């Protein structure tokens, strides 16, 4: 039988094509690998430079006194503080009105008072030791207190 030359290119393909294909694939992988290393990565967003609020390790007792002309401000502040895990044991009216909200550390621990201020979103922290009061922190709400509460249906 005679050999047909029409089928030789199909049956016996040149090895040169396989080399070109392998070199192309290797160069593509090299380019993709270099692209991963050279492509700029997104940087995480930086928040403000405010220090993190330290959560007290023990139960904090709080009294809330309304020093505003608005009725119900002490009750609103009590709800806000209780949602933050604070134990409000007394709420009532202050002796006089106050222009600014004050948070008084009664046992001398300003960390607890700072946590209360963060929960309220307002107030200047001061240390005024008063051992006759049976609370850790006293809050005297001032006219600057503007609560941010959820809308109820």
């Amino acid at each position: 039988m005679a050999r047909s030359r029409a089928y030789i290119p199909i049956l016996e393909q040149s090895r040169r094509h396989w080399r070109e294909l392998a070199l192309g694939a290797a160069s593509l992988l090299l380019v993709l690998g270099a692209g991963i290393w050279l492509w700029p990565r997104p940087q995480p967003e930086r928040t403000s430079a405010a220090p993190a609020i330290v959560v007290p390790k023990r139960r904090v007792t709080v009294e809330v006194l309304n020093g505003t002309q608005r009725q119900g401000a002490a009750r609103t502040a009590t709800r806000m503080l209780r949602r933050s895990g604070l134990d409000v044991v007394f709420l009532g009216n202050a002796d006089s009105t106050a222009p600014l909200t004050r948070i008084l550390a009664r046992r001398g621990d300003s960390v607890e008072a700072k946590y209360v201020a963060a929960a309220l979103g307002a107030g200047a922290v001061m240390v005024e030791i008063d051992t006759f009061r049976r609370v850790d922190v006293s809050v005297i709400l001032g006219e600057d207190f503007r609560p941010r509460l959820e809308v109820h249906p």
Side-chain angles (χ1 to χ4, degrees):
M1 242 169 112
R3 239 171 123 181
S4 170
R5 293 189 179 248
Y7 297 109
I8 291 177
I10 295 174
L11 296 176
E12 297 180 16
Q13 293 184 0
S14 170
R15 292 184 182 185
R16 189 176 74 193
H17 294 292
W18 290 107
R19 278 189 226 141
E20 290 173 358
L21 186 61
L23 284 174
S27 63
L28 180 65
L29 288 174
L30 184 64
V31 168
L32 288 176
I36 290 173
W37 288 99
L38 298 176
W39 192 265
R41 294 185 182 113
Q43 298 295 325
E45 293 182 24
R46 295 183 183 184
T47 58
S48 64
I53 302 298
V54 178
V55 179
K57 294 181 181 172
R58 62 183 189 89
R59 187 180 84 157
V60 179
T61 57
V62 181
E63 73 173 339
V64 179
L65 302 174
N66 187 0
T68 68
Q69 295 293 323
R70 295 184 310 266
Q71 291 182 356
R75 183 176 314 273
T76 303
T78 299
R79 288 182 182 148
M80 291 172 66
L81 294 174
R82 285 184 176 161
R83 282 189 193 131
S84 296
L86 295 163
D87 187 16
V88 179
V89 295
F90 179 75
L91 66 111
N93 291 324
D95 294 335
S96 62
T97 59
L100 299 174
T101 300
R102 295 183 300 160
I103 292 131
L104 309 172
R106 296 299 188 179
R107 303 276 183 248
D109 190 3
S110 64
V111 171
E112 295 171 348
K114 288 177 186 175
Y115 184 72
V116 172
L120 282 178
V125 176
M126 294 181 257
V127 177
E128 285 188 19
I129 297 175
D130 186 358
T131 56
F132 292 113
R133 294 190 185 261
R134 299 290 181 184
V135 294
D136 298 318
V137 178
S138 295
V139 176
I140 301 173
L141 298 173
E143 294 296 333
D144 66 333
F145 176 67
R146 300 282 182 242
R148 53 184 194 282
L149 296 173
E150 302 91 29
V151 178
H152 295 288

